[in-house]
Amino acid sequence: MGIIDRIKGRIQDRLNDPAFMGLVQEQSLKDLLVRREFRITEEYLQREFMKKALDDELVEFNLTIGDGYGELSGRLKKRLVPFAIPFSVSFTIEGLEFSAARKCVFLKLGPVAPLNLEWLTRKVVERIPFMSLSGEMLVCDLNRVPRLAELFAQRVKGISIWDYITLKELWLKRGEIGGRVGVVL
């Protein structure tokens, strides 16, 4: 048995130790540590983020997740225009960075329909506090997502568990966002 196998065995022993798991009070964190996989449904994202972005200018805002892509659509009302401007844009996952310093997902925007108006795109992106736009790249800062920020701030005996966990892969599957985490040694 090699050193890597021994280290993996020790980590697995810690995960199976009830005393260690007792320190980790958050149920979602326990599930994440044991299964090493997570899923976030489209309905949860719609309820927690999209509905909260609505106001008198952004009158409709929806998220649809398909196999390998996502799509944001809605209608934006401007004072000078007598009707709401419909929009829709698709995106795919371009990459991710998950380190102690930065936790970001990079999304590549597809064409904006029916018109590619930069002010419209910026207006929609600004409605989501953890998103920023750089050219055609949309950056989602996971440290600023309210529920994840609470989870990343948790400490076990003064140690951030997120210094030892990394996001290995992230995927878009019909109706959900999923991912797999790994342990960093």
Side-chain angles (χ1 to χ4, degrees):
M1 178 163 28
I3 190 162
I4 299 297
D5 293 329
R6 281 191 242 162
I7 292 172
K8 284 183 181 178
R10 285 185 190 169
I11 291 170
Q12 193 60 43
D13 290 342
R14 292 273 187 219
L15 291 176
N16 292 332
D17 182 11
F20 175 75
M21 294 310 280
L23 292 173
V24 184
Q25 298 298 319
E26 182 72 34
Q27 184 61 41
S28 58
L29 186 56
K30 285 182 184 179
D31 291 344
L32 185 65
L33 287 172
V34 172
R35 290 187 327 207
R36 294 189 184 160
E37 195 170 281
F38 66 90
R39 298 185 189 291
I40 304 169
T41 65
E42 184 179 302
E43 292 81 22
Y44 175 80
L45 293 170
Q46 188 73 31
R47 182 182 69 241
E48 292 295 319
F49 303 114
M50 302 301 152
K51 295 292 184 200
K52 292 179 181 176
L54 295 176
D55 63 6
D56 57 338
E57 284 187 335
L58 189 60
V59 293
E60 186 179 321
F61 199 34
N62 297 310
L63 171 69
T64 307
I65 300 173
D67 290 328
Y69 71 95
E71 182 179 23
L72 290 172
S73 61
R75 293 183 306 133
L76 187 68
K77 180 94 170 112
K78 293 300 284 181
R79 287 188 298 209
L80 301 175
V81 181
F83 58 90
I85 302 168
F87 66 89
S88 109
V89 62
S90 63
F91 61 89
T92 58
I93 297 174
E94 184 71 18
L96 53 101
E97 180 181 343
F98 201 88
S99 64
R102 190 171 177 199
K103 294 171 179 47
C104 294
V105 176
F106 302 98
L107 306 170
K108 182 164 175 64
L109 292 179
V112 179
L115 299 169
N116 190 1
L117 303 172
E118 179 142 344
W119 64 267
L120 175 66
T121 307
R122 289 214 177 275
K123 189 75 161 171
V124 171
V125 170
E126 288 171 0
R127 297 292 176 170
I128 306 171
F130 49 86
M131 294 285 216
S132 62
L133 185 65
S134 175
E136 289 188 359
M137 194 66 63
L138 191 63
V139 180
C140 177
D141 186 358
L142 300 176
N143 283 322
R144 295 179 58 199
V145 176
R147 182 75 175 111
L148 292 177
E150 293 172 14
L151 197 60
F152 293 151
Q154 290 184 356
R155 300 204 174 278
V156 176
K157 294 201 174 195
I159 299 171
S160 173
I161 196 155
W162 295 101
D163 291 344
Y164 302 102
I165 296 176
T166 187
L167 186 58
K168 291 170 68 174
E169 65 181 300
L170 189 65
W171 61 80
L172 299 170
K173 193 175 171 183
R174 184 166 305 279
E176 66 183 15
I177 297 173
R180 186 166 288 124
V181 297
V183 178
V184 178
L185 302 176

